Amino acid sequence: MAASAAVRSSMGLTLRLSRVIPDCSTCPLFRLKCNAKNVANLQRRGSFDSLRTINRHLQTSIGLYHSEEGSSNAEHPEDVVNVVYIDRSGQRIPVKAKVGDNVLYLAHKHGIELEGACEASLACSTCHVYVSAAHFDKLREPEEREDDMLDMAPMLQENSRLGCQIILTPELDGIELTLPKVTRNFYVDGHVPKPH
Amino acid sequence: MEGANKCILNHVRRHCGTLIVNAGFPRTVMAVTQGTALKTLDVNLSRVFAGGCGKASLSSCSPKVCIVGSGPAGFYTAQHLIKARQDVEVDIYERLPVPFGLVRFGVAPDHPEVKNVINTFTQTAKHSRCSFYGNVNVGKNVSITELQQAYHAVVLSYGAEGNRSMGVPGEDLAGVYSAKDFVGWYNGLPSCRELSPDLSCETAVILGQGNVALDVARILLSPIDILKKTDITQPTLEALAESQVRRVLIVGRRGPIQIACTIKELREMVNLPDTRPDMVAADFDGVKEALKDLPRPRKRLTELMLKTALEVPGEKEQERRSKASRTWGFRFFRSPVEVLAEPGHSRIAGIRLAINKLEGSGDGAQAVLTGEVEDVPCGLVVSSIGYKSLPIDPSVPFDSRKAIVPNTMGRVKQAAGLYCSGWLKTGPTGVIATTMNNSFDTARSILEDMDSGTLDMSAAKPGSQSISALLEKRGVKPVTFSDWEKIDNVEMKRGESRGKPREKLLTVEEMLHVAWT
């Protein structure tokens, strides 16, 4: 079978699927494409849009079909700020944003799992992110209240900031924001981060 | 078609090298690398084909999960499950008619932004695959065993409703309260309505120096003009308006470097209008020298404490302090040994504290008795030394020493299909963000077990259908989420006329009346 033959090859997925997905309606991957699209259409907007993310990634990785949502097309190219989120599984999610966008809400818009429990009011640390070294110093100094809340975040690093306090400027083009792996599942020794 | 499917999956398994069991991560397509992408492909294929598992077994494809407790742990667990799988249905059971647990009854009234998380929880509750059932007492109206029969998985997220006791004579005297009850009182928890603490004394002593202790101190000393614009209950406001309390001591067993509160709460005390700090300089001996070795959060907190306790204030601050009518301060190296009564009365006259010294340093330092004691006259003692979980059903394993349900990564030990999240899982410490991560972990364990077959999903489960029937038979009427919204609206409306975000209903009867009218 063409599908399994392709899979047997030792090439990357992109190549595999592109060989596996000619428009063959008997191929299960064709059904995947159709189903993902259908479900994405039915999917509620808001935070439960993991399938929209699948949509976008299938597009990114194997160019199957148009992204459902369309990127946030800036009116003027100089307003565009390219951002990359790196989620908790290590996946890179490139996003085209605009000057003035808030990093937390931008993440929500693109289905990235960055929680914002207190809704950007500096009363929690759930939007904790690591900022790429090249851009960290280009951010505005955190106010005392942000530092206070950052102190509560597990796995605090030198390049930690709260996502809700980062507003995109042209100098931040290319910024990469990594979501900390904060779960106990990652601690082999059973250690639990203990803020109070 | 079936053959092609199996063929691909088999080859994917073999070439991937790792067993393709979804680790329960959100089912987004992962990075375009060999292993992980194929792993997710498998997942998506199996989900896509879930629709094809045949009409007869259609209901077996929709996992039904029951969550006991509607605080942050319950809601974050629900949120993660619903997001991760398109077929999971979650039912949340709550003993009170109103949801949100400690977000409603624990977070201080003057911390409204912390309560914003309610909006996230509301979104979850209103999701088509989530249902809220308030006014249902699990353990009394329905047993865990019955829930396990109705659902594929049951998650215990009912938190910690008890408190650690000091274990000293005089603890039961009038005038001694647990912080849990005091906080419940000012936050309108129905079971604490009758607390009526006597605030006619000058000095209050709080045992414990965590954030809850600081909340209690702040509520006791805040100007009424600030409190009256919050959702603090009306009876509390009236009691505080008459309060004679002018001095609050916040007492801890160990030293400044071991203090359990966080900097935000300390800063609020330092900046509290009409108050001034009252510390014992000697308590801070050696602290400055230890600063350089401390991690950032501890360092910043200690620096602020040192500044407040030892630094000579500037002119403006000096003036502010001299005008202040109320004082607050930490007392270190002190443990309660007895609450002293007024001779011939059963009211408290003071508290006897043992003086400690520290052995070791940092987080692991131990308080050791020196044999000396000191008596502090006071009329109000609040014991803020920790909440404690209680067992609610004999069929659930419970570790009474640690006061948690024994578990590994949220899977209850020796109890298939039973999970736990939140404080019941790890013990009663941590803020909402901690509980969030904790709950996401439990949800991940559940999802792993669904994928790996550890959780038996082959048989359909009736879920709320059978539980609702059971409850009806027993004369228990659940409060739905839209019923809660009626309560919510009434509270907000009542608050409006008083300039408060809400005026909480204070009894279960009132809540039910509004819910069902």
Side-chain angles (χ1 to χ4, degrees):
Chain A
M1 201 155 304
S4 40
V7 159
R8 248 182 252 126
S9 89
S10 56
M11 313 273 267
L13 175 65
T14 311
L15 216 41
R16 270 188 194 143
L17 288 182
S18 63
R19 278 161 63 178
V20 165
I21 314 177
D23 266 344
C24 172
S25 58
T26 57
C27 176
L29 292 160
F30 178 82
R31 281 189 62 185
L32 164 65
K33 168 179 149 187
C34 286
N35 270 284
K37 209 170 176 180
N38 287 337
V39 182
N41 283 334
L42 296 169
Q43 193 69 33
R44 254 180 61 153
R45 296 205 162 256
S47 15
F48 306 108
D49 56 12
S50 51
L51 277 182
R52 285 177 67 209
T53 319
I54 290 177
N55 253 353
R56 178 164 44 74
H57 291 296
L58 284 171
Q59 185 215 358
T60 310
S61 55
I62 37 194
L64 276 183
Y65 42 78
H66 278 314
S67 158
E68 288 292 290
E69 51 175 49
S71 34
S72 60
N73 291 313
E75 294 286 324
H76 309 284
E78 58 266 23
D79 275 351
V80 170
V81 180
N82 291 293
V83 176
V84 176
Y85 288 93
I86 299 165
D87 75 12
R88 297 183 210 280
S89 62
Q91 182 189 14
R92 294 173 64 85
I93 302 154
V95 163
K96 268 189 158 32
K98 293 197 304 288
V99 170
D101 278 348
N102 175 301
V103 158
L104 172 63
Y105 293 122
L106 182 67
H108 287 177
K109 192 169 152 193
H110 292 268
I112 289 147
E113 294 201 328
L114 191 58
E115 288 294 324
C118 76
E119 300 179 353
S121 53
L122 287 178
C124 78
S125 56
T126 57
C127 66
H128 173 210
V129 290
Y130 302 134
V131 179
S132 42
H135 301 88
F136 183 71
D137 293 322
K138 299 191 176 139
L139 297 175
R140 231 185 344 190
E141 280 287 307
E143 59 177 283
E144 191 175 69
R145 292 199 308 149
E146 179 182 348
D147 272 333
D148 286 353
M149 293 322 298
L150 268 174
D151 280 357
M152 314 261 270
M155 306 190 68
L156 192 66
Q157 286 178 183
E158 290 289 327
N159 61 338
S160 285
R161 287 298 298 264
L162 294 183
C164 69
Q165 300 300 300
I166 302 176
I167 307 296
L168 294 176
T169 60
E171 302 79 62
L172 295 177
D173 188 40
I175 191 173
E176 299 196 348
L177 302 157
T178 306
L179 274 56
K181 292 184 176 38
V182 292
T183 68
R184 192 179 169 183
N185 288 1
F186 286 101
Y187 291 97
V188 179
D189 61 356
H191 162 71
V192 178
K194 204 168 61 146
H196 223 293
Chain B
M1 184 49 70
E2 267 303 296
N5 184 23
K6 276 204 191 113
C7 206
I8 288 187
L9 295 181
N10 284 334
H11 282 102
V12 148
R13 282 194 171 93
R14 261 177 247 151
H15 288 269
C16 220
T18 54
L19 178 62
I20 298 178
V21 170
N22 207 299
F25 287 113
R27 295 189 174 208
T28 55
V29 171
M30 305 212 264
V32 181
T33 58
Q34 265 187 311
T36 49
L38 288 172
K39 191 202 274 199
T40 316
L41 182 60
D42 175 66
V43 161
N44 286 318
L45 284 174
S46 61
R47 185 151 37 95
V48 159
F49 292 110
C53 59
K55 282 205 167 66
S57 57
L58 208 55
S59 50
S60 75
C61 304
S62 92
K64 293 202 165 81
V65 179
C66 159
I67 296 180
V68 180
S70 69
F75 268 106
Y76 273 129
T77 308
Q79 176 187 311
H80 193 102
L81 289 170
I82 289 173
K83 253 172 141 165
R85 278 183 73 128
Q86 305 308 311
D87 55 353
V88 157
E89 286 167 33
V90 178
D91 292 338
I92 303 176
Y93 291 87
E94 161 62 48
R95 184 175 56 194
L96 287 170
V98 298
F100 309 133
L102 283 179
V103 181
R104 176 181 166 100
F105 294 117
V107 174
D110 57 351
H111 287 166
E113 326 78 19
V114 177
K115 303 192 200 200
N116 284 346
V117 74
I118 285 178
N119 297 333
T120 309
F121 297 162
T122 299
Q123 246 195 329
T124 301
K126 293 172 93 141
H127 193 278
S128 56
R129 287 185 281 117
C130 184
S131 300
F132 171 79
Y133 297 97
N135 195 42
V136 177
N137 187 327
V138 174
K140 206 169 120 193
N141 301 145
V142 59
S143 72
I144 299 283
T145 311
E146 285 165 335
L147 290 175
Q148 285 189 284
Q149 282 161 359
Y151 292 90
H152 293 104
V154 173
V155 187
L156 304 174
S157 313
Y158 62 78
E161 62 177 304
N163 61 270
R164 292 179 62 203
S165 67
M166 290 189 282
V168 303
E171 194 162 5
D172 298 320
L173 285 172
V176 183
Y177 306 97
S178 69
K180 169 189 86 70
D181 288 342
F182 197 84
V183 170
W185 172 67
Y186 67 62
N187 273 334
L189 187 61
S191 58
C192 297
R193 194 168 63 99
E194 318 273 279
L195 201 77
S196 311
D198 186 343
L199 305 176
S200 62
C201 54
E202 191 200 328
T203 301
V205 169
I206 302 174
L207 282 328
Q209 297 172 325
N211 285 340
V212 177
L214 265 63
D215 278 355
V216 170
R218 199 176 65 251
I219 296 297
L220 279 172
L221 294 178
S222 279
I224 289 290
D225 284 342
I226 294 178
L227 292 179
K228 72 181 186 203
K229 299 191 202 123
T230 70
D231 64 5
I232 200 168
T233 71
Q234 199 56 26
T236 304
L237 208 50
E238 284 162 19
L240 288 172
E242 309 284 302
S243 164
Q244 313 270 308
V245 175
R246 295 288 175 271
R247 183 167 165 253
V248 175
L249 299 176
I250 307 166
V251 178
R253 290 174 303 126
R254 299 186 294 171
I257 294 180
Q258 288 76 35
I259 203 171
C261 63
T262 52
I263 196 169
K264 172 171 175 262
E265 281 70 15
L266 176 58
R267 227 184 268 289
E268 286 170 331
M269 286 310 299
V270 171
N271 296 331
L272 196 57
D274 196 30
T275 68
R276 67 180 146 83
D278 157 30
M279 311 274 205
V280 173
D283 282 348
F284 294 87
D285 286 345
V287 171
K288 190 143 174 252
E289 293 68 29
L291 266 182
K292 59 179 169 23
D293 297 320
L294 300 174
R296 172 190 136 147
R298 175 63 65 189
K299 183 157 181 258
R300 291 179 78 239
L301 173 62
T302 311
E303 278 170 345
L304 179 58
M305 250 195 299
L306 278 173
K307 179 170 175 219
T308 309
L310 301 179
E311 205 179 80
V312 177
E315 212 183 296
K316 219 167 110 189
E317 171 66 8
Q318 188 56 46
E319 207 195 317
R320 190 194 74 82
R321 288 189 190 185
S322 61
K323 287 202 192 131
S325 66
R326 302 173 176 196
T327 70
W328 66 278
F330 294 127
R331 293 293 179 269
F332 295 100
F333 313 107
R334 301 287 186 274
S335 300
V337 287
E338 189 178 343
V339 181
L340 307 166
E342 259 171 60
H345 290 82
S346 59
R347 261 214 61 78
I348 164 185
I351 185 166
R352 178 159 291 161
L353 302 173
I355 301 176
N356 302 323
K357 64 175 195 276
L358 272 192
E359 272 179 13
S361 63
D363 280 349
Q366 305 262 10
V368 170
L369 293 171
T370 58
E372 287 177 56
V373 295
E374 127 190 309
D375 289 355
V376 177
C378 62
L380 176 66
V381 165
V382 179
S383 158
S384 183
I385 58 175
Y387 285 63
K388 199 166 79 168
S389 291
L390 305 175
I392 62 168
D393 190 302
S395 70
V396 176
F398 192 79
D399 179 338
S400 16
R401 195 180 62 85
K402 291 190 198 162
I404 57 169
V405 170
N407 70 92
T408 314
M409 308 272 230
R411 296 177 176 99
V412 177
K413 289 189 178 162
Q414 284 143 17
L418 204 54
Y419 300 82
C420 53
S421 68
W423 282 3
L424 186 59
K425 170 182 170 190
T426 55
T429 64
V431 295
I432 291 178
T434 329
T435 298
M436 178 186 84
N437 291 322
N438 164 327
S439 305
F440 286 173
D441 276 356
T442 295
R444 271 186 268 270
S445 292
I446 297 172
L447 293 164
E448 265 177 50
D449 291 353
M450 284 181 182
D451 288 335
S452 69
T454 305
L455 256 183
D456 184 9
M457 317 284 295
S458 58
K461 292 275 193 171
S464 58
Q465 263 187 327
S466 63
I467 300 299
S468 298
L470 248 172
L471 292 172
E472 201 181 328
K473 242 189 349 195
R474 294 172 185 172
V476 176
K477 187 173 171 193
V479 169
T480 66
F481 202 74
S482 20
D483 290 337
W484 145 248
E485 287 180 310
K486 284 199 244 166
I487 299 172
D488 193 24
N489 287 331
V490 163
E491 289 186 343
M492 289 194 289
K493 201 142 194 255
R494 290 191 189 182
E496 231 178 272
S497 55
R498 290 197 161 124
K500 297 164 85 172
R502 72 177 58 240
E503 188 61 64
K504 288 179 183 169
L505 300 185
L506 300 177
T507 64
V508 169
E509 291 69 39
E510 266 184 282
M511 294 173 184
L512 293 177
H513 177 75
V514 169
W516 295 332
T517 310

